[in-house]
Amino acid sequence: MALIETGDDVLVVAAKTKVADDVVSLVLQRRDGGRLPDWTPGAHLDLVLPDGTTRQYSLHGDPREAAAYRIAVLREAEGSGGSRYVHDELREGDLVRFGGPRNNFRLTPAPAFAFVAGGIGITPMLPMLRAASLLGSDWRLLYLGRSRSRMAFVDELAGYGDRVTVRASDEVGPTDIRSWLESGPDAAAPAETKFYACGPTRLIEAISELAAERRPGWTRVERFAAADRGEPARTTAFDVDVIGTGRSIRVVPGVPVADALRSAGFDLLTSCSRGVCGTCETRVVAGVPDHRDSILDDAERVDGTCFFPCVSRAKSDRLVISL
């Protein structure tokens, strides 16, 4: 698929650098060097490659760097091809499109933070560490990986001293995350410490178990893959009313809400279609969603004022939404 070379969403690959085994960092800029849309720590970018592939990557630069986005891409041999294209085909000077930035993993102020990153999950943490430092918050980071050579940005993190613990499993074996949490200076007041984690499924599952013992709503995770939500809450059809249009769309079992809306002529942008990127976030005006995404925290699910129609459904007979 040929890339259209005009538009505000076109960026040039200004630099491509190897930052670890199978990890490259890209610097993306407008061709005129102009200002890019602002972003906050935890945000990701929708990267549209010249072959038409769209993937989401966390921004790891400094939000104050107004004319450049920085992302890091792990080569995934068993993936669907996006990372291989970046590693093998994408060159400095090539053009890409972008969407966003979007933030489903926001850093919110707290007296203290405990960060846990697994592998390429370090990328959203880097701007969070800078922000926590600027806020004057106490923080510490546990960075886990299979081997040190595959762990990006270790040299950069060394500047933070003993706030950062780097553990490579081929050196020290498995790490007891609970022990790390309970041995830190913030362990005496865990209710005041916000807990952020990003990494592969096994890590996030372990973090989620620990989160159940902590202050509700003070743990946020970002997943590489969608969580298994089991069967939908209802197995019968339901209606989705689009406010302001006078139209009601019947959604039958097995058909995603997003597909039903598009079939009815509504323009709805989706990207991952797995409930992990947040592109299709939609406001809920009335009704009870059946949240099946891997983005919202428990408090946001209870609030019920938004949902992701690529995967989520309805518990009630009717949902009223705003597009």
Side-chain angles (χ1 to χ4, degrees), residues 151-159:
M151 299 172 72
F153 309 113
V154 171
D155 291 344
E156 177 180 333
L157 292 167

Side-chain angles (χ1 to χ4, degrees), residues 26-306:
L26 304 181
V27 178
L28 307 171
Q29 298 177 325
R30 294 197 190 280
R31 285 173 291 182
D32 63 0
R35 186 183 184 93
L36 291 163
D38 293 339
W39 59 281
T40 54
H44 71 261
L45 199 69
D46 296 331
L47 185 68
V48 186
L49 298 169
D51 68 350
T53 301
T54 301
R55 293 292 181 270
Q56 291 75 41
Y57 298 107
S58 296
L59 290 160
H60 70 75
D62 188 332
R64 295 171 295 183
E65 186 180 15
Y69 289 146
R70 297 175 186 270
I71 62 173
V73 181
L74 170 68
R75 182 186 179 92
E76 297 182 86
E78 304 303 321
S80 55
S83 68
R84 293 196 299 275
Y85 187 99
V86 170
H87 277 254
D88 300 340
E89 304 293 336
L90 200 64
R91 300 287 184 266
E92 291 184 11
D94 285 353
L95 299 179
V96 296
R97 287 195 182 280
F98 78 97
R102 299 181 178 86
N103 201 338
N104 305 310
F105 193 43
R106 297 174 182 85
L107 184 74
T108 54
F113 296 95
F115 300 103
V116 177
I120 199 64
I122 192 62
T123 51
M125 299 298 184
L126 295 176
M128 288 186 177
L129 304 185
R130 298 186 195 105
S133 297
L134 289 171
L135 288 169
S137 301
D138 290 330
W139 64 264
R140 55 196 178 111
L141 166 72
L142 177 61
Y143 183 16
L144 305 173
R146 285 186 288 173
S147 65
R148 197 171 289 261
S149 68
R150 294 176 58 85
M151 299 172 72
F153 309 113
V154 171
D155 291 344
E156 177 180 333
L157 292 167
Y160 289 119
D162 60 6
R163 286 188 173 197
V164 175
T165 300
V166 177
R167 297 279 178 83
S169 58
D170 66 348
E171 297 174 357
V172 299
T175 295
D176 186 338
I177 299 173
R178 180 187 295 274
S179 294
W180 177 80
L181 279 173
E182 295 176 350
S183 63
D186 53 10
E192 301 303 316
T193 301
K194 285 194 173 179
F195 191 11
Y196 282 77
C198 181
T201 300
R202 288 180 61 185
L203 173 64
I204 297 304
E205 288 175 349
I207 296 299
S208 297
E209 290 182 12
L210 293 173
E213 305 169 11
R214 300 174 66 83
R215 181 175 174 179
W218 276 49
T219 297
R220 293 300 302 262
V221 301
E222 185 168 61
R223 298 173 179 268
F224 295 163
D228 182 4
R229 296 295 178 190
E231 295 299 317
R234 62 184 295 153
T235 57
T236 56
F238 57 92
D239 295 311
V240 174
D241 294 354
V242 182
I243 197 167
T245 69
R247 297 187 61 189
S248 182
I249 312 304
R250 191 71 165 169
V251 182
V252 299
V255 175
V257 175
D259 288 357
L261 289 169
R262 278 196 290 257
S263 294
F266 291 98
D267 185 16
L268 180 68
L269 179 64
T270 59
S271 181
C272 73
S273 298
R274 295 179 292 118
V276 295
C277 77
T279 299
C280 64
E281 182 175 351
T282 301
R283 186 164 71 92
V284 176
V285 179
V288 182
D290 177 13
H291 294 294
R292 306 180 61 75
D293 63 275
S294 299
I295 298 171
L296 300 177
D297 63 20
D298 290 343
E300 291 167 330
R301 292 174 189 278
V302 171
D303 181 56
T305 55
C306 75

